Amino acid sequence: MPEATLRDTILRIGEEANASAIAVAAYDFEHHTTWSLNSARWFHAASTIKVPVLLAVYEAIEQHRFAPFSRVHVRNRFLGMVDGRPFRVGPERDANAAVHAALGRMLTVHELAEHMIVTSSNLATNLLLDLVGVEAARASLARLHLGGIDLQRGVEDEAAWEAGLNNRVTAAGLCDAMRLIEEGKAISPEASQAMLDILHQQQFRSGIPAGLPEDARVANKTGEISTVAHDAGIVYLDGRDAYVVVILTEWAPDVSGQRQETIARISRAVYEYMTGQVAQ
């Protein structure tokens, strides 16, 4: 598929679905090439911000601040970034019930990291971000030279949201983060492999993976709220090196029903481009 055709195809998919904005960034390890569309545009991160949090957690492990099997007390009380007032993560707004079920008990850092990525637990995310510290996490991203990622706060911090303090990402920034993990350059080869193992367990598969052949393997992280739907993944196909693809989409709140299908269709178009097929 010629590059111009891929761009046209993605724009057409977005137009047909009535998406407000689409950004894509891809890197192919097979040919060491990049492809992008609006890759520097900022989007609300939704749960894709959990990949940068994961990076910060594993740098803290590398610094011996704690270990993967260090135990963390599971609580549901956090302090807002703007007003310092307590807030909690409502179980009805969390994709994972297991961490809420463990309130008052202990879970390991590794268990929380798995819950944060694999089933997108907001409570696990806030517990880990509290453990690391927001400023320390931001410093980790700076040391990794990851631009295009703006980590500002925990999840469900309504006062911060109302003040305009939001976690934001670009497709290019998330693509660079996923590349570092795949290349073994995110903190250390051991940390990169540990993060990759977690990403491979992802349970939300209706985005990038749904647009690929059944034998494709994908390590990915999704994110969705009322106005955005995203997926960032590393795609493994037999007979070739992996590629990274990040698909960010923005929507009017009243447009629903096609978000994951749109990401899957874009994923398919990128797959056909990467493997030299002609778009149908």
Side-chain angles (χ1 to χ4, degrees), residues 1-2 5-6 9 12 269 272 277-280:
M1 187 193 304
T5 304
L6 177 59
T9 299
R12 186 184 72 249
E272 290 175 349
Q277 300 181 44
V278 177
Q280 297 300 312

Side-chain angles (χ1 to χ4, degrees), residues 40-162:
R41 186 191 188 279
W42 289 99
F43 289 75
H44 190 296
S47 286
T48 62
I49 202 64
K50 293 166 184 175
V51 173
V53 174
L54 188 68
L55 288 164
V57 167
Y58 272 88
E59 188 186 52
I61 291 171
E62 198 80 5
Q63 295 169 344
H64 304 293
R65 291 180 54 193
F66 44 79
F69 296 101
S70 295
R71 286 150 52 91
V72 178
H73 179 249
V74 179
R75 57 183 167 76
N76 194 357
R77 186 180 184 276
F78 307 96
L79 300 181
M81 289 297 295
V82 171
D83 57 9
R85 298 182 65 178
F87 71 94
R88 61 191 290 274
V89 176
E92 74 283 354
R93 291 178 59 83
D94 205 342
N96 176 306
V99 183
H100 288 269
L103 283 170
R105 305 205 305 272
M106 308 288 276
L107 290 176
T108 67
V109 169
H110 179 73
E111 286 171 328
L112 289 171
E114 285 189 328
H115 284 303
M116 175 176 70
I117 297 297
V118 177
T119 55
S120 206
S121 168
N122 292 337
L123 183 54
T125 304
N126 282 2
L127 288 165
L128 289 172
L129 198 53
D130 253 20
L131 187 66
V132 174
V134 172
E135 288 307 316
R138 289 169 59 86
S140 294
L141 300 176
R143 280 188 287 274
L144 290 168
H145 305 291
L146 285 173
I149 296 174
D150 186 16
L151 173 61
Q152 291 283 347
R153 60 170 174 84
V155 188
E156 300 294 332
D157 185 346
E158 293 293 333
W161 179 80
E162 290 171 2

Side-chain angles (χ1 to χ4, degrees), residues 34-46:
T34 60
W35 190 93
S36 66
L37 171 70
N38 300 327
S39 64
R41 186 191 188 279
W42 289 99
F43 289 75
H44 190 296

